[in-house]
């Protein structure tokens, strides 16, 4: 999950950008050297009969920048520290999401098992009460109550299956995989 989640990739990219900004800040007042080469020709025919060739080399450095470079370095270092903290925070959130999703999946599986047992109990109870009614020992109201209990148990089972499917999807999202991953 720590490698697959998009927010983790985003936090890593932000940290990488802040590291690059820190390197750039260190070189903000570095000396620079540049060169140029040129040819100038004047005439109405080609190649010109009169021309000039020039070259140049420039060295530039300002040792007194009024504290700009140290300020840029401190600002970039603070940005890097903030990016590192954000990466840690995001990593902890992802780990928490995965743990919570896993716990929810285990709970949903247990709820489904309980609901299936409830359906089996209600079905058996309905079978016994219908048998009693057919033999003339029970009353029709007991049959209706047993049917209602069976219907409630089946509804609970469907709801538990739906919760299990949702928990699987939440875990797949938490670990950064598609639904086929689980």
């Amino acid at each position: 999950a720590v490698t697959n989640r998009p927010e983790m990739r985003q936090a890593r990219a932000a940290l990488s950008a802040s590291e690059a900004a820190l390197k750039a800040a260190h070189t903000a007042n570095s000396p620079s050297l540049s060169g140029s080469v040129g040819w100038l020709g004047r005439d109405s025919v080609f190649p010109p009969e009169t021309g000039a060739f020039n070259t140049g080399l420039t060295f530039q450095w300002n040792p007194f920048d009024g504290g700009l470079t140290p300020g840029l370095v401190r600002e970039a270092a603070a940005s890097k520290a903030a990016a590192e903290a954000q990466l840690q925070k995001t990593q902890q959130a992802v780990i928490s999401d995965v743990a919570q999703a896993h716990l929810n999946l285990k709970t949903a599986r247990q709820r489904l098992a309980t609901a299936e047992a409830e359906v089996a109990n209600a079905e058996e109870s309905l079978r016994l009460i219908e048998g009693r009614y057919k033999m003339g020992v029970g009353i029709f109201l007991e049959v209706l109550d047993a049917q209602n209990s069976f219907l409630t148990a089946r509804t609970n089972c469907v709801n538990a299956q739906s919760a299990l499917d949702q928990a699987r999807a939440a875990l797949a999202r938490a670990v950064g995989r598609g639904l086929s991953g689980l």
Side-chain angles (χ1 to χ4, degrees), residues 111-126 145-161:
R111 280 186 55 208
L112 180 61
T114 302
E116 288 171 345
E118 186 181 320
V119 168
N121 262 352
E123 189 174 23
E124 182 62 19
S125 178
L126 177 61
D145 286 343
Q147 286 176 341
N148 185 35
S149 294
F150 178 67
L151 180 61
T152 300
R154 293 287 308 241
T155 301
N156 291 343
C157 189
V158 168
N159 289 340
Q161 181 62 52

Side-chain angles (χ1 to χ4, degrees), residues 22 25 65-78:
L22 181 59
D65 65 354
L68 178 65
T69 301
L72 291 174
V73 169
R74 281 194 302 272
E75 180 182 5

Side-chain angles (χ1 to χ4, degrees), residues 13-63:
L15 179 59
S16 177
S18 68
E19 288 170 347
L22 181 59
K23 287 178 185 176
H26 279 292
T27 62
N29 195 28
S30 296
S32 66
L33 183 65
S34 62
S36 64
V37 176
W39 170 260
L40 176 65
R42 298 175 126 188
D43 204 344
S44 60
V45 294
F46 185 79
E49 292 181 11
T50 61
F53 177 76
N54 62 10
T55 60
L57 187 61
T58 306
F59 176 79
Q60 187 175 8
W61 180 50
N62 182 7

Side-chain angles (χ1 to χ4, degrees), residues 13 16 22-23 34 47 49 66 70-71 87 90 99 103 118 125-126 129-130 138 140 150 165 167-168 179-180:
S16 177
L22 181 59
K23 287 178 185 176
S34 62
E49 292 181 11
L87 178 63
T90 303
L103 180 64
E118 186 181 320
S125 178
L126 177 61
I129 290 173
E130 283 177 341
F140 188 67
F150 178 67
D165 293 340
R168 282 185 179 138
L179 292 178
S180 61

Side-chain angles (χ1 to χ4, degrees), residues 93-108 167 170-171 174:
V94 166
I95 291 169
S96 175
D97 284 352
V98 171
Q100 186 63 48
H102 183 49
L103 180 64
N104 290 345
L105 180 63
K106 286 179 76 172
T107 302
L171 182 60

